[in-house]
């Protein structure tokens, strides 16, 4: 069960027209999961908000100074906790989510589904891939072209060891989500047992984007050697041909 634990959001500009906001923790299976929202200012000036964090008056002020909120994105069925807050404050923003999150949150209004074949209004700035192969969860993965930044939520988790208590740290290490060797959590990885080829094809597509940075919702971002990190993180799928 997800439960929000409030904390003032911290804004970091990581590239031109690209920001992350580090929010508070959410409690998930008794673990404190840090939250991070990514915001892109699109070519038309509107803001694309990925995995919205808890909305406070101070955060809203920072967002409004950046531009008009155009899109809210729920990239998988776990990242929906604060969507309603944002919809209430930004009623003209269009919300997109995966089929799983749309089914889960029928109380929310979604403009469209993040399907594999979706034509999305921000595709001139941001590429999209639906990472499938597991019956448990699908995730929409994004690539900001101008900054060559890969944007994910749970596809990769990379927590600093000190984020957890000693007992939690040991469990997180077994699950595979400790920096600097973070990866997809073990429970999700196991659900690809019969569909590794599908997952590997998705990962090859991501590598072909040639990302130089990886921003994830949970844990330390990767600011250099992104290709090396991604190949190591997904070595459970086998090796990948060099670019």
């Amino acid at each position: 069960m997800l439960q929000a634990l409030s904390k003032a959001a911290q804004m970091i500009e990581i590239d031109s027209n690209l920001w992350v906001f580090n929010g508070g923790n959410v409690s998930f299976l008794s673990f404190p999961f840090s939250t991070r929202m990514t915001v892109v200012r699109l070519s038309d000036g509107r803001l694309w908000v990925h995995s919205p964090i808890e909305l406070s008056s101070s955060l809203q002020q920072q967002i409004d100074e950046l531009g008009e909120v155009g899109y809210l994105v729920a990239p998988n069925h776990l990242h929906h906790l604060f969507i309603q807050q944002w919809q209430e404050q930004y009623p003209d923003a269009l919300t997109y989510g995966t089929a799983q999150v749309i089914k889960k949150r029928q109380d929310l209004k979604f403009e469209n589904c993040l399907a594999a074949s979706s034509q999305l209004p921000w595709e001139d700035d941001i590429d999209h891939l639906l990472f499938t192969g597991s019956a448990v969860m699908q995730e929409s993965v994004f690539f900001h072209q101008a900054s060559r930044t890969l944007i994910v939520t749970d596809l990769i988790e990379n927590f600093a060891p000190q984020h957890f208590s000693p007992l939690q740290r040991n469990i997180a290490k077994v699950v595979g989500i400790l920096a600097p060797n973070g990866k997809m959590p073990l429970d999700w990885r196991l659900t690809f047992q019969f569909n590794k080829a599908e997952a590997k094809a998705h990962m090859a597509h991501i590598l072909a984007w040639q990302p130089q940075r990886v921003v994830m919702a949970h844990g330390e971002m990767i600011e250099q050697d992104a290709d090396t990190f991604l190949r190591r993180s997904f070595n459970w799928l086998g090796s990948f041909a060099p670019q």
Side-chain angles (χ1 to χ4, degrees):
M1 181 177 178
L2 291 169
Q3 179 182 2
L5 305 175
S6 297
K7 177 184 175 182
Q10 175 191 13
M11 180 176 76
I12 304 172
E13 183 174 5
I14 60 174
D15 212 309
S16 178
N17 296 314
L18 176 64
W19 299 264
V20 295
F21 291 77
N22 294 325
N25 293 333
V26 295
S27 178
F28 182 59
L29 300 177
S30 299
F31 278 69
F33 269 57
S34 54
T35 59
R36 177 177 294 126
M37 174 178 74
T38 305
V39 176
V40 174
R41 184 189 288 128
L42 302 171
S43 298
D44 65 6
R46 287 183 291 179
L47 302 180
W48 178 88
V49 181
H50 175 270
S51 186
I53 61 173
E54 187 172 14
L55 185 60
S56 64
S57 57
S58 61
L59 174 56
Q60 185 174 353
Q61 181 178 354
Q62 292 178 85
I63 290 293
D64 291 344
E65 289 173 356
L66 295 179
E68 175 190 354
V69 176
Y71 305 101
L72 305 173
V73 178
N76 68 39
H77 74 268
L78 296 178
H79 284 253
H80 59 84
L81 196 60
F82 305 111
I83 291 286
Q84 185 172 2
Q85 294 179 357
W86 286 75
Q87 288 184 334
E88 291 171 354
Q89 292 300 318
Y90 298 100
D92 294 330
L94 304 179
T95 304
Y96 288 73
T98 62
Q100 290 174 326
V101 75
I102 291 173
K103 181 179 180 180
K104 183 175 184 177
R105 293 300 307 268
Q106 296 184 30
D107 58 313
L108 300 177
K109 179 183 178 181
F110 288 89
E111 177 69 16
N112 211 336
C113 178
L114 293 167
S117 59
S118 294
Q119 297 293 309
L120 300 172
W122 55 75
E123 60 187 13
D124 287 343
D125 296 285
I126 303 170
D127 291 325
H128 167 250
L129 179 143
L130 185 65
F131 203 102
T132 60
S134 165
V136 174
M137 184 163 70
Q138 301 175 346
E139 178 171 314
S140 282
V141 180
F142 301 94
F143 179 66
H144 182 230
Q145 299 160 14
S147 67
R148 309 207 65 79
T149 299
L150 180 67
I151 303 168
V152 304
T153 43
D154 298 297
L155 194 77
I156 306 168
E157 296 174 2
N158 194 46
F159 290 98
Q162 61 269 25
H163 181 74
F164 296 120
S165 69
L167 175 59
Q168 291 171 338
R169 192 178 308 140
N170 289 334
I171 296 172
K173 185 175 182 180
V174 172
V175 174
I177 59 174
L178 280 189
N181 300 311
K183 52 176 62 72
M184 182 185 291
L186 177 61
D187 56 343
W188 191 13
R189 263 182 282 150
L190 291 175
T191 66
F192 287 90
Q193 182 176 358
F194 301 108
N195 288 300
K196 283 189 175 181
E198 185 174 344
K200 188 172 183 178
H202 290 321
M203 197 60 219
H205 187 133
I206 291 171
L207 291 171
W209 283 336
Q210 297 184 327
Q212 297 177 1
R213 176 191 291 113
V214 183
V215 173
M216 61 280 289
H218 308 298
E220 297 183 351
M221 297 182 291
I222 305 302
E223 294 282 359
Q224 56 186 1
D225 298 325
D227 184 83
T228 300
F229 172 84
L230 289 169
R231 289 171 185 273
R232 183 178 68 240
S233 182
F234 285 86
N235 60 11
W236 56 277
L237 293 174
S239 60
F240 294 87
Q243 300 294 331

